[in-house]
Amino acid sequence: MPVPATLRTNCADLVEIFSSSQGEGPLIGCRQVFIRFCGCNLECAYCDTDHVRDPLCKIETAPGSQAFDTIDNPVPLDRIIALLKHWEDDYPGLHHSISLTGGEPLHHGNILSHWLPELRLLLPIFLETNGTQPSILASLIDDIDYISMDMKLASVCGFETPWNLHKDFLNKSEGKITCVKVVVDVNTPAKEINTAAEMVAALVPDAPLIIQPLTKNNAIHISANRLLELQAIALKRHKDVRIIPQTHRFLALL
Ligand code: SF4
């Protein structure tokens, strides 16, 4: 029997919901509720994010406890609203925003068009995205407050950088980009950083470009000298370029 449309948009396949400190980008250190969606439209070579659909979604029992219950996937919006209201009542002022992460949250654009207006009544919406689905972004932009967008560099990801999609995405971001992030490693050439910095400078000049060293198996895959070289190259094109690693890994945060 076909699934009713309302059920399809009321429920989403999620990996987990938890409360932690943002570990990347300019909102680093802000306390957020993280909603991690299953699935992604890309296959980055370095990806170690658990976004494969499981029959169960993990839900933190209390903010920051790192203890989890599980519920069946797909998870209904009502369940999430009830959880967040409960957390907001018990811990007023704790959370800066809701981070939609993944996987790729925009993979669930149809569901988000129903979810975002309701979630945003509770907290501002922070979207973490790979920046490759501009038309979906355009359909949701009115209900998004902050966007952290990745640019996928070929040297690290193992596929051609989708420059045109990134460009279109930035053009549709309506001033909500808080940062553009590039993951780099020892193979990242100056040319890629140049192109990324030029695009950020041209399209979102007030947004910082974050150079994030690739961290895998708890090791950083680029030297400090090379990171500084890449930053110097990018600063010739864009005024605000920062080196920020994934801090949550060092702190053993979720
Ligand atoms: S975009 Fe993110 S979640 Fe998707 S494959 Fe790349 S690193 Fe993994």
Side-chain angles (χ1 to χ4, degrees):
M1 184 188 293
V3 180
T6 48
L7 191 58
R8 284 202 301 269
T9 53
N10 277 339
C11 300
D13 288 325
L14 304 177
V15 177
E16 56 190 354
I17 303 172
F18 60 95
S19 163
S20 190
S21 168
Q22 173 58 245
E24 302 177 359
L27 289 186
I28 198 164
C30 291
R31 190 70 176 265
Q32 292 181 315
V33 177
F34 291 80
I35 302 178
R36 185 180 305 286
F37 287 80
C38 299
C40 186
N41 58 319
L42 300 180
E43 290 184 32
C44 304
Y46 64 83
C47 182
D48 60 359
T49 310
D50 177 15
H51 62 74
V52 176
R53 185 189 185 279
D54 186 275
L56 298 174
C57 165
K58 293 162 58 187
I59 296 190
E60 200 171 32
T61 53
S65 67
Q66 303 200 9
F68 288 85
D69 286 333
T70 56
I71 62 168
D72 289 340
N73 262 323
V75 180
L77 176 61
D78 291 355
R79 179 73 177 77
I80 298 172
I81 298 280
L83 176 79
L84 297 190
K85 279 187 174 164
H86 176 58
W87 283 3
E88 286 301 290
D89 286 346
D90 285 0
Y91 305 89
L94 179 64
H95 294 113
H96 169 276
S97 47
I98 298 170
S99 172
L100 306 177
T101 188
E104 172 54 50
L106 296 186
H107 213 44
H108 304 259
N110 193 28
I111 292 169
L112 288 179
S113 66
H114 291 81
W115 283 29
L116 292 189
E118 294 202 47
L119 289 174
R120 199 162 177 242
L121 293 175
L122 301 174
L123 286 165
I125 302 295
F126 179 87
L127 172 68
E128 301 194 49
T129 175
N130 61 33
T132 57
Q133 300 188 70
S135 55
I136 295 177
L137 176 73
S139 70
L140 302 173
I141 194 70
D142 289 346
D143 289 310
I144 294 172
D145 298 283
Y146 310 100
I147 303 171
S148 169
M149 184 196 117
D150 280 11
M151 277 186 180
K152 295 298 183 182
L153 302 185
S155 59
V156 193
C157 295
F159 51 79
E160 281 300 305
T161 301
W163 293 116
N164 287 337
L165 289 176
H166 288 330
K167 184 177 175 186
D168 201 10
F169 196 96
L170 289 174
N171 276 327
K172 290 183 164 60
S173 62
E174 295 190 5
K176 296 182 179 181
I177 296 279
T178 55
C179 72
V180 176
K181 187 181 77 192
V182 285
V183 175
V184 299
D185 73 3
V186 66
N187 299 312
T188 302
K191 186 164 172 258
E192 281 186 340
I193 286 290
N194 249 325
T195 307
E198 276 174 1
M199 190 178 287
V200 173
L203 300 180
V204 283
D206 293 328
L209 173 64
I210 309 295
I211 297 178
Q212 180 177 294
L214 175 64
T215 308
K216 202 161 185 182
N217 301 325
N218 289 324
I220 298 237
H221 290 255
I222 184 170
S223 70
N225 278 355
R226 183 59 181 158
L227 276 174
L228 292 172
E229 280 175 11
L230 292 176
Q231 184 185 37
I233 291 165
L235 279 166
K236 289 182 182 164
R237 309 287 176 196
H238 183 52
K239 64 185 179 187
D240 188 352
V241 182
R242 312 177 196 180
I243 299 170
I244 305 181
Q246 291 180 300
T247 56
H248 51 291
R249 293 183 184 254
F250 302 111
L251 297 171
L253 292 168
L254 294 172

